[in-house]
Amino acid sequence: MNARLNSASAATAHQRQWFAGLRADLADGGDFALVNADAPQEIFRTMGIPYVVNQWWSSIVTAKRRAQDYLELLRARGLPDDSEQYSSIPLASAFDPDPASAPWGGLPRPTIVLAETTGDASRKIFDLWGDQPGVSFYPLESAAENDVPTRWWELMPRDWERAVGSDRLDLMTGELEGLIRFLEQTTGRVFSETRFAEVMELVNEQQEWNRRTRDLIARARPCPLPVNDSIPSVMIPQWHRGTTWARDAARAFHDEVAERVASGTAVRPDERLRLMWIGRGLWFDLDFYRRFEESHGAVFVWSMYLAIAADGYLRYGDDPLRALAARFAAFPDQLYTPPWSAEWYVKEARHHGVDGVVHLVSEDSRGSYFTTRALEAAGIPVLELHADNVDARAADGDGLTRTVGDWLGTLTLSDRAAGG
Amino acid sequence: MPAALAQLLALGTGPGEAWGPAPVIGYVGADVPVEYLTAAGLHPLRLSGNPEAPHTAGDRYLGTGLDPAARSVLTRLLDQDYGPLDGLLVSRDCEASLRLFYALRELRRVEPSLTLPPVHLVDVLHLPHRTTTRYVRAKFAQVRATVGTWAGRTVDDAALADAIAAHDRLRALLTRVASLRRQRPARLTGTEMLTVVAATTALPVGRATALLEQLLKEAGELPQHEGLRVFLTGSPHDTPHVYAALEDKGLLIVGEDHDRGDLLHLRPTGAPTEAALAERYQYNGPTAPRASIRARAAHTGRAARDCGAEALVSYARRHDEAPRWDYAAQEAATGLPSVLLGRQPYGALDDGAAEALTALCPHAEVTR
């Protein structure tokens, strides 16, 4: 099966068109925000402030093979080129002497940057953005909790107060109130409660479609779409969430997958191994995911992008601002902090009936040991693949392919042995 | 060597001294409000790593991309290297500490046979906002309750006020002792000062205070030290290995901006209340992993001038991410000859660092 999903092509085309429109709109100036992936973009959506997601831009730069050029720009200013590259690559666009040569015509200069104070270096990257002329940095606190309920995905949509904890929610709600006032003052725009409620409702609708799509794929045998089609189909609408386009794109994605399932369309009709990819996208080699279909009948049926859209975003409640706080106060925990991350990956692996997990572990691994441990304790084989998802310097592409191929060979052999 | 200094240097980061019958609570990071432990009659022991011992178990659970100091602490905890601990408070002073907490919490859940002590996260945040203060106060109320549970008694306001006064007294004495190395010639080396500070985080506050008072009385007997006066920025140092290596090359570390040195004692609590305590920890710093580049550079510039520093050295341990992002602004803020020793091994200098230092101080004299 080689035909690309229409929803993937449509999402990519929309993103290009939207970006071109953004550049045209900002040609004579105007408010524009660069925001972190885990930050509450819904506030900007509500106020009509255009934004680009930092890590999305990083993935574009990397996919266009420009990551090393950008890292060189950081290095030339005495800044680290080997620290938080996924977040730091867009910063280099502020130092680019030839911005027009950048992918898609280049990132417009933001007037506002928004990020959480996570990690030790992430905040520094945005400090440097904030030192650029005409750019204001609004930092958000990132809190942690002592005790967390394990099966968070059951609580998050409606019982998020219990899942996240009231202290964290009080803090994040206060932070968001501050952000709104900051944006009102700096942009002169209005934050309408009515509009905000609409945005929140659209986001929930969108994620409900993603949840249905995730469940369809989990149940389907064989897998109806390649994972590198599902990534743009879910993530581009994710960066536009809170719009009717994004909600409708999520529904179109679902309908197309449902149609494929009904018609028996498969990545590999002779699917022999169902695989899960844990970790960020391997942006410098997105073909990687399809390299083992022919040789091993192995299909990646899972990546975190659709799954976290399905489980990580839904928040209902009478207080939309507190619900938004609940969406982001513990967002990274869902993916990276045990027990939340570890138990969720096991749940998803079982839900999708995977035969094995390829676990991308960057040097700066977060909770990786516990994820691998939990999966193996559940009887699911895991291959840890050690590489960075945007910085290809340390990765031996052929070596990664060989490592996965050899491991898949052992899975196939063990299947044969089990089959007698 | 005067008696008090000899005793403090011998204690180092140990848990060496007998604690008596009171339970010992280990803690990680300078953001832990030790006042609660003192008020509850518990002994706080700040945990340090050991660069000379392998940290294989820590690497396994935390991954090899995290600050090796935290990996070493986890290894030592698993080896019960700190002696029996009745509890563990882990602050969120840097990413490595937070991940250490997560690993300990999860190990207690999934591998209970490892017999780790009960662990509690102290989530002090540092943005200068009222919302942050309110959050820190909520977290301190949790710490107070947990410490009360461990001690088997409630931490009352009077005991807390006494503890705040006792630790402020200790901080004031540390600041006076630190001034001894600012003198020309200095009466303490950086290595000695770091070790003295470490000893005070391994001793009951009363005993630490008495030793510092004695040290100040004996200050006239201290030897004199010369060298290229250096302000040290970058990673925190949980052992004196790097200080000793730098001072062996003719440097004299007259000040630093990490929380195992000057930043531990510069800011007092002031008022004997929980509100003041929360503000003290929220606004303590600015440390590399928690402060903005601008705040950090301003502090480094000011502190280096106050110390009469002649050069700036930034030592960034491998996998300690923040210092390298700060360096360019710190260099500009101090205006001093400077060098960045990046990606350094835990507790040591690599060959490149040695060369860079030679370029910084080709004519420095060692007089010790």
Side-chain angles (χ1 to χ4, degrees):
Chain A
M1 184 206 64
N2 290 315
R4 195 169 196 212
L5 219 62
N6 288 332
S7 48
S9 303
T12 306
H14 176 84
Q15 183 75 343
R16 275 186 171 278
Q17 188 182 17
W18 175 86
F19 193 79
L22 173 73
R23 285 181 49 79
D25 289 347
L26 295 172
D28 297 323
D31 300 314
F32 167 60
L34 181 76
V35 303
N36 245 3
D38 300 344
Q41 296 139 33
E42 287 80 349
I43 302 284
F44 293 85
R45 178 75 62 215
T46 299
M47 299 179 78
I49 302 167
Y51 63 85
V52 158
V53 173
N54 189 40
Q55 287 79 6
W56 171 75
W57 185 249
S58 188
S59 68
I60 294 291
V61 169
T62 305
K64 299 293 180 189
R65 312 277 175 185
R66 295 293 307 277
Q68 299 307 325
D69 297 338
Y70 276 51
L71 293 172
E72 168 59 29
L73 289 171
L74 296 179
R75 198 159 53 238
R77 297 180 78 90
L79 299 171
D81 66 345
D82 59 349
S83 171
E84 298 279 353
Q85 296 97 315
Y86 200 24
S87 298
S88 69
I89 281 173
L91 171 65
S93 66
F95 311 136
D96 192 347
D98 184 17
S101 73
W104 295 23
L107 182 72
R109 175 66 66 107
T111 53
I112 298 157
V113 293
L114 176 75
E116 319 79 11
T117 49
T118 51
D120 296 343
S122 298
R123 184 255 178 83
K124 309 279 185 186
I125 293 163
F126 284 86
D127 281 343
L128 291 166
W129 267 119
D131 282 344
Q132 302 306 306
V135 182
S136 297
F137 169 34
Y138 190 92
L140 291 169
E141 285 287 19
S142 173
E145 191 51 271
N146 260 282
D147 300 309
V148 291
T150 306
R151 298 170 68 83
W152 59 268
W153 55 90
E154 294 173 353
L155 301 175
M156 280 300 188
R158 296 182 188 281
D159 202 2
W160 35 262
E161 187 83 26
R162 184 150 66 100
V164 178
S166 295
D167 292 337
R168 284 175 111 178
L169 291 174
D170 288 347
L171 174 64
M172 184 58 107
T173 305
E175 296 280 284
L176 296 184
E177 286 167 349
L179 173 63
I180 291 167
R181 176 60 58 89
F182 167 76
L183 294 175
E184 288 168 341
Q185 289 194 325
T186 53
T187 70
R189 294 179 188 236
V190 168
F191 182 86
S192 155
E193 292 286 348
T194 308
R195 173 74 184 129
F196 181 50
E198 288 170 3
V199 166
M200 291 297 285
E201 193 172 325
L202 282 166
V203 175
N204 279 336
E205 286 179 32
Q206 180 176 339
Q207 313 308 338
E208 291 283 10
W209 284 113
N210 284 327
R211 176 170 276 204
R212 294 185 194 103
T213 310
R214 187 272 312 269
D215 291 345
L216 269 176
I217 295 170
R219 287 192 299 268
R221 302 288 187 282
C223 183
L225 80 167
V227 78
N228 51 353
D229 264 12
S230 81
I231 291 174
S233 297
V234 67
M235 287 318 294
I236 292 174
Q238 194 69 277
W239 302 141
H240 291 270
R241 68 177 178 273
T243 65
T244 53
W245 177 83
R247 187 268 319 272
D248 294 347
R251 179 165 54 197
F253 175 39
H254 167 270
D255 291 350
E256 198 174 5
V257 171
E259 194 179 304
R260 284 192 173 202
V261 172
S263 65
T265 306
V267 177
R268 292 291 302 184
D270 60 342
E271 176 180 292
R272 297 197 298 281
L273 291 171
R274 294 169 65 78
L275 300 177
M276 184 172 181
W277 175 272
I278 292 185
R280 296 162 170 171
L282 202 62
W283 297 117
F284 60 81
D285 187 7
L286 285 172
D287 294 334
F288 189 86
Y289 301 110
R290 306 206 59 183
R291 208 157 282 160
F292 313 98
E293 294 169 5
E294 182 84 20
S295 56
H296 296 82
V299 178
F300 280 98
V301 303
W302 192 95
S303 84
M304 68 177 181
Y305 297 104
L306 177 57
I308 199 64
D311 282 339
Y313 283 81
L314 285 169
R315 301 290 187 276
Y316 294 98
D318 297 334
D319 182 345
L321 198 64
R322 198 164 178 88
L324 181 62
R327 181 170 291 149
F328 292 100
F331 197 88
D333 293 347
Q334 298 171 159
L335 292 172
Y336 300 114
T337 302
W340 279 10
S341 52
E343 295 295 333
W344 182 62
Y345 289 122
V346 170
K347 185 269 286 189
E348 284 293 285
R350 287 180 171 146
H351 187 37
H352 287 71
V354 301
D355 301 293
V357 173
V358 179
H359 184 184
L360 181 71
V361 178
S362 65
E363 186 169 61
D364 180 27
S365 62
R366 291 183 283 175
S368 297
Y369 167 82
F370 296 102
T371 293
T372 296
R373 183 198 180 284
L375 288 160
E376 289 179 342
I380 300 161
V382 181
L383 172 71
E384 285 193 355
L385 207 55
H386 292 264
D388 188 90
N389 75 312
V390 292
D391 190 350
R393 282 176 296 184
D396 165 12
D398 292 342
L400 295 179
T401 302
R402 208 165 37 248
T403 301
V404 174
D406 291 349
W407 176 72
L408 291 174
T410 66
L411 287 188
T412 311
L413 285 173
S414 62
D415 281 353
R416 283 182 190 148
Chain B
M1 180 182 290
L5 182 61
Q7 280 190 62
L8 286 160
L9 296 182
L11 285 163
T13 59
E17 180 152 295
W19 287 100
V24 178
I25 306 298
Y27 71 97
V28 175
D31 284 352
V32 170
V34 287
E35 288 83 349
Y36 288 115
L37 296 171
T38 298
L42 302 170
H43 288 320
L45 171 67
R46 189 169 183 181
L47 305 188
S48 303
N50 178 5
E52 293 172 335
H55 36 76
T56 314
D59 295 354
R60 179 179 180 216
Y61 296 120
L62 292 170
T64 54
L66 201 67
D67 189 336
R71 291 184 264 149
S72 179
V73 167
L74 178 55
T75 306
R76 295 188 72 185
L77 276 166
L78 291 165
D79 291 344
Q80 302 191 23
D81 214 10
Y82 301 109
L85 297 176
D86 294 275
L88 189 55
L89 292 174
V90 180
S91 74
R92 201 257 190 90
D93 59 333
C94 64
E95 182 69 2
S97 294
L98 180 62
R99 293 202 213 167
L100 172 65
F101 166 75
Y102 288 142
L104 289 165
R105 180 176 73 181
E106 190 68 349
L107 285 171
R108 279 174 54 81
R109 188 178 80 95
V110 299
E111 297 186 23
S113 62
L114 292 173
T115 61
L116 288 159
V119 58
H120 185 100
L121 177 70
V122 185
D123 193 24
V124 174
L125 303 177
H126 295 279
L127 286 181
H129 300 154
R130 179 179 164 273
T131 44
T132 299
T133 310
R134 191 172 59 179
Y135 178 79
V136 174
R137 288 203 65 181
K139 296 300 102 179
F140 274 23
Q142 283 183 354
V143 172
R144 189 173 185 163
T146 298
V147 166
T149 303
W150 288 343
R153 72 187 216 208
T154 304
V155 179
D156 64 42
D157 288 345
L160 182 61
D162 288 346
I164 288 171
H167 283 278
D168 267 5
R169 171 81 182 139
L170 178 62
R171 290 183 186 112
L173 287 167
L174 279 170
T175 301
R176 286 177 59 197
V177 171
S179 70
L180 295 174
R181 66 166 162 163
R182 313 251 195 275
Q183 294 177 9
R184 287 178 185 266
R187 308 304 290 263
L188 284 174
T189 66
T191 309
E192 288 169 342
M193 186 64 208
L194 185 82
T195 310
V196 166
V197 173
T200 65
T201 64
L203 287 169
V205 63
R207 177 90 180 106
T209 301
L211 279 169
L212 292 186
E213 284 170 340
Q214 189 184 338
L215 172 61
L216 287 166
K217 281 183 193 153
E218 296 169 351
E221 303 167 35
L222 292 166
Q224 298 180 341
H225 305 281
E226 301 279 4
L228 181 72
R229 295 170 68 87
V230 161
F231 189 84
L232 183 66
T233 186
S235 299
H237 294 265
D238 57 347
T239 72
H241 292 78
V242 172
Y243 273 58
L246 291 170
E247 294 195 324
D248 281 348
K249 293 186 182 305
L251 310 182
L252 184 67
I253 300 169
V254 291
E256 68 275 293
D257 52 14
H258 64 79
D259 65 18
R260 288 179 179 269
D262 287 342
L263 286 189
L264 185 71
H265 52 83
L266 280 183
R267 186 185 179 91
T269 301
T273 65
E274 191 164 85
L277 195 64
E279 289 176 4
R280 190 260 163 205
Y281 282 92
Q282 177 187 351
Y283 288 102
N284 195 39
T287 64
R290 288 295 170 262
S292 69
I293 289 176
R294 191 176 298 171
R296 181 98 173 127
H299 174 84
T300 304
R302 198 167 45 242
R305 277 192 299 278
D306 291 348
C307 294
E310 298 160 338
L312 176 73
V313 173
S314 176
Y315 172 96
R317 190 162 52 233
R318 198 177 295 146
H319 303 305
D320 182 15
E321 295 288 307
R324 289 187 295 142
W325 289 96
D326 284 331
Y327 174 70
Q330 290 173 304
E331 182 184 36
T334 59
L336 294 171
S338 67
V339 62
L340 170 65
L341 312 177
R343 302 188 194 95
Q344 293 300 300
Y346 179 36
L349 301 173
D350 66 14
D351 292 343
E355 272 180 42
L357 288 168
T358 304
L360 186 68
C361 52
H363 307 300
E365 292 179 8
V366 185
T367 310
R368 228 174 263 129

